[in-house]
Amino acid sequence: MRIDKFLKVSRLAKRRSEAHEALVNGRIAKDGKNLKPGYDVKVGDVLELHYARKFVTVRVLQVPERVTPSLRAAELYEILGERRDEPADWLGDPTV
């Protein structure tokens, strides 16, 4: 399954077009390398996702062969880590 579709099915992205845009802009990586929308997701892949204000690292547990109503998004991945970016971290020290 293509990564842009996997992100939508697993609800890590709201829309497939949103996932595609994140991939094109280099906000989703595996092993420190940015992924392209056509990358085929495999079980065991560790993905790093950069949202607007947070970074999430997930491990792919399951890649469905097809999308069905009984599919549970939470069973497709596990969250390995999460950190938030605060504006103060990237704006610099205001007292300088």
Side-chain angles (χ1 to χ4, degrees):
M1 178 180 287
R2 289 172 54 110
I3 189 165
D4 54 353
K5 185 170 184 179
F6 176 80
L7 292 171
K8 194 262 185 229
V9 168
S10 64
R11 296 189 184 104
L12 289 167
K14 290 181 184 179
R15 293 176 298 284
R16 189 169 177 178
S17 60
E18 181 182 285
H20 181 85
E21 183 181 319
L23 287 156
V24 169
N25 290 313
R27 295 194 319 256
I28 300 174
K30 177 187 170 214
D31 298 329
K33 296 179 183 175
N34 294 338
L35 297 176
K36 295 187 180 191
Y39 174 79
D40 284 327
V41 179
K42 297 171 210 58
V43 173
D45 281 352
V46 176
L47 307 174
E48 302 154 8
L49 297 94
H50 178 211
Y51 293 103
R53 285 195 161 173
K54 68 179 178 177
F55 291 87
V56 178
T57 305
V58 299
R59 176 180 293 125
V60 177
L61 299 177
Q62 189 177 28
V63 179
E65 290 184 23
R66 68 181 82 113
V67 180
T68 61
S70 64
L71 187 66
R72 296 193 192 283
E75 295 174 358
L76 300 178
Y77 64 91
E78 70 174 316
I79 296 176
L80 300 177
E82 186 174 334
R83 71 178 173 87
R84 293 200 175 273
D85 262 2
E86 296 300 326
D89 294 341
W90 45 270
L91 287 177
D93 188 5
T95 59
V96 177

